[in-house]
Amino acid sequence: MPNFKLAPWALSALALAAVAARAEEAPSPVRLNQLGFETQGPKRAIASDPSKTPLPWRLIDASGVTRASGQSQVFGLDAASGDHPHQVDLSDWRTPGQGYRLRVGAHESRPFAIGDHPYGALKRDALAFFYQNRSGVAIEARYVSDPALARPAGHAPDRATCFDKTDEAGNLWAGCGYALDASKGWYDAGDHGKYVVNGGIAAWTLLNAYERAAARGTAQAFADGTAQIPERANGVSDLLDEARWELEFLLAMAVPAGTVMALPVGPQKPADGKLVLTRLDASGMAHQRLHDKRWTPLPTAPQDDHETRYLYYPTTAATLNLAAVAAQCARIWKAIDPAFAARCLTTARTAYAAALRNPQVYAIGQFTGGGGYGDGDLTDEAYWAAAELFVTTGEAAYGQALIGSRHAPVAGRAAEDFDWGSVATLGVISLAVAPGAQSEADRALARAALVKAADAYVEQGARQGYRLPYAAKTYPWGSNASVLNHALVLGLAYDFTGRPAYRAAVVDAMDYILGRNPLDQSYVTGYGARPVRHPHHRFWTQQADPRYPAPPPGVLSGGPNDSNMSDPVAATMKGHCAPQTCWRDDYRAFTQNEVAINWNAPLVWVAAWLDETP
Ligand code: 9MR
């Protein structure tokens, strides 16, 4: 020991450093859901060990008594993780408690809990993500877990005109002669952009959580007053209040009647980026994006973003997204707020008609300062919009569009995977669960397609070393949401059939998200012994600058991504990581560790489902 006295401030700095060091738990070779296990639910753990023969395992309670034991199941080499997993199944042990440990061979887990309803807090925190990313309103200290998370309103109002400059490829855009007040909405992700395509699927997912719960009689779980939001005493479900914040923005992104604009028509892929623009009637279409004219640095709090913001040209994809979600809105608010529902329905019809008139305006312009959400296949968007309009109105024209689509459910065929760019299954889900005009036969066909998809996911789980019901060879940007979207379909399949294998697979997916993965990482802030701490976000960016807050609990990291490793952190990992390990808890790793509304939405859905579906 050096023989000198430390100044008191140095002591406290050391103490703080020790606390920080303690907080950063070392990874354990025994991986399990760090939130713990449900008393009655499946309980699977993975130990990574090179042994080719089974290892003995023991479940030890808080007082050191062995409560269960067995032999691990050797999986062999697992491509997704690069590990040699041993699978352990403790499901038969159903006694709640704290401080359990699992010993597998020479390895011992951290203490973990078994209890009822472990997801109650998570579903609320995951929903609070949306309030805290609201644009156009102050985030008040009384509604957040830490006063440092409060902030003045950003982009209030968010009024913008159309981009009227030269884009990155040298195309000159004419502007539009109007400005829209597209205030409200949620910031998309780590950036302050607002995008109709991604807003569409995110809002739909929350609204579907509501519709599914209402159909099952559990909608009171998010009743008025259950969330910490300004609308918590307006007599309306807080889940709906939150989704409406986004809907108001989406509705505001519609192109005014009587607008003629020069837009790119058809799948143009010019080598020099120069687009052919054609003048057409854009009335009722939706602008693709609203964002800053250039990228702002990290950190930038919303209220400190003084960049000029523009509306970027309307696209068919955005228009169909608007049609779909506005149609969903129309049926949900019909009895709650008839005037709002009517506004939604008019917008949905107008948008759908505009998309039929202009079916091939793709998001191919090259603009900086925001994300593209470009998509070259809009047949799934068209199916989704027609499905939502048909469920809501029952009108023959929408029904005909469904029959003619290659995305329509067919007996014996599984529903497609979905994400922001592949949305047909959203329509299938609404046909399967939403109250509406669809026939019982339509409903049954849609359910069968979802059950068939769920069967495939269960099978995928059996082939994965970590048993997650997801088997991509390459992990996409936002892979954690892909895993959770599988869980959403599995949850629905369980609703329809009651088969325990589907519920078990939902748990498998959530186990992976909360720590049963090769990095021993909980991908949700504030949950588990090793939670993500440093997501890519312009305000929750304490790692970049200690004057900014750490993220609130309940925020999902996008997760491992070995399909696009373009950020400075990912670039150093290229070629050196198995798909499930291409991830770092670093705010600069925007391809791996960003947050996004379309990722947190399925976290809300799945956490709520688990909490409300015994
Ligand atoms: O989630 C999007 C992912 O599928 C794309 O591959 C990626 C690159 O285009 O963009 C992601 O979305 C980002 C958006 O463009 C801008 N806001 C942040 C989003 C999440 O990273």
Side-chain angles (χ1 to χ4, degrees), residues 257-486:
T259 303
V260 173
M261 258 186 207
L263 299 175
V265 176
Q268 303 181 35
K269 283 200 185 78
D272 63 357
K274 295 281 171 8
L275 301 171
V276 177
L277 305 182
T278 309
R279 283 173 63 78
L280 47 81
D281 175 8
S283 313
M285 291 183 78
H287 285 277
Q288 174 84 0
R289 26 205 285 202
L290 163 56
H291 59 75
D292 295 334
K293 115 175 157 203
R294 59 188 146 225
W295 291 107
T296 56
L298 267 73
T300 298
Q303 71 274 15
D304 300 330
D305 175 14
H306 303 300
E307 274 299 340
T308 305
R309 285 162 82 79
Y310 287 113
L311 295 168
Y312 293 82
Y313 74 85
T315 65
T316 307
T319 306
L320 289 166
N321 264 266
L322 176 60
V325 184
Q328 191 188 19
C329 159
R331 62 175 178 262
I332 294 175
W333 268 272
K334 197 168 179 191
I336 298 170
D337 182 344
F340 181 57
R343 201 176 127 217
C344 282
L345 189 54
T346 305
T347 303
R349 289 180 188 284
T350 308
Y352 188 80
L356 284 186
R357 216 170 51 235
N358 301 315
Q360 284 197 83
V361 180
Y362 298 104
I364 45 182
Q366 295 176 35
F367 309 100
T368 187
Y373 289 113
D375 184 350
D377 179 355
L378 306 181
T379 56
D380 53 305
E381 280 77 7
Y383 175 81
W384 176 34
E388 298 297 350
L389 274 156
F390 182 68
V391 169
T392 300
T393 68
E395 287 168 21
Y398 303 126
Q400 281 305 319
L402 294 182
I403 293 166
S405 171
R406 68 176 163 85
H407 299 284
V410 172
R413 199 171 72 195
E416 302 159 23
D417 275 14
F418 64 89
D419 60 26
W420 64 261
S422 299
V423 289
T425 292
L426 309 186
V428 176
I429 293 173
S430 287
L431 284 162
V433 305
Q438 69 276 41
S439 67
E440 276 314 306
D442 286 344
R443 194 183 285 281
L445 213 50
R447 289 185 174 200
L450 294 164
V451 169
K452 189 97 183 155
D455 287 337
Y457 302 157
V458 168
E459 222 173 84
Q460 288 172 18
R463 285 186 275 117
Q464 293 295 305
Y466 278 79
R467 285 207 70 113
L468 69 164
Y470 180 75
K473 283 216 162 53
T474 305
Y475 272 49
W477 197 312
S479 66
N480 280 342
S482 307
V483 172
L484 288 171
N485 283 340
H486 279 197

Side-chain angles (χ1 to χ4, degrees), residues 188-191 195 295 370-373 420 477 590 594-596 598-599:
D188 186 55
D191 61 316
Y195 312 92
W295 291 107
Y373 289 113
W420 64 261
W477 197 312
F590 61 80
E594 192 162 354
V595 309
N598 61 318
W599 305 338

Side-chain angles (χ1 to χ4, degrees), residues 145-157:
S145 54
D146 171 352
L149 290 162
R151 58 172 173 81
H155 310 96

Side-chain angles (χ1 to χ4, degrees), residues 544-572:
D545 184 333
R547 289 170 302 178
Y548 286 75
V555 177
L556 179 75
S557 164
N561 174 6
D562 65 336
S563 64
N564 178 324
M565 305 186 78
S566 56
D567 70 60
V569 177
T572 65

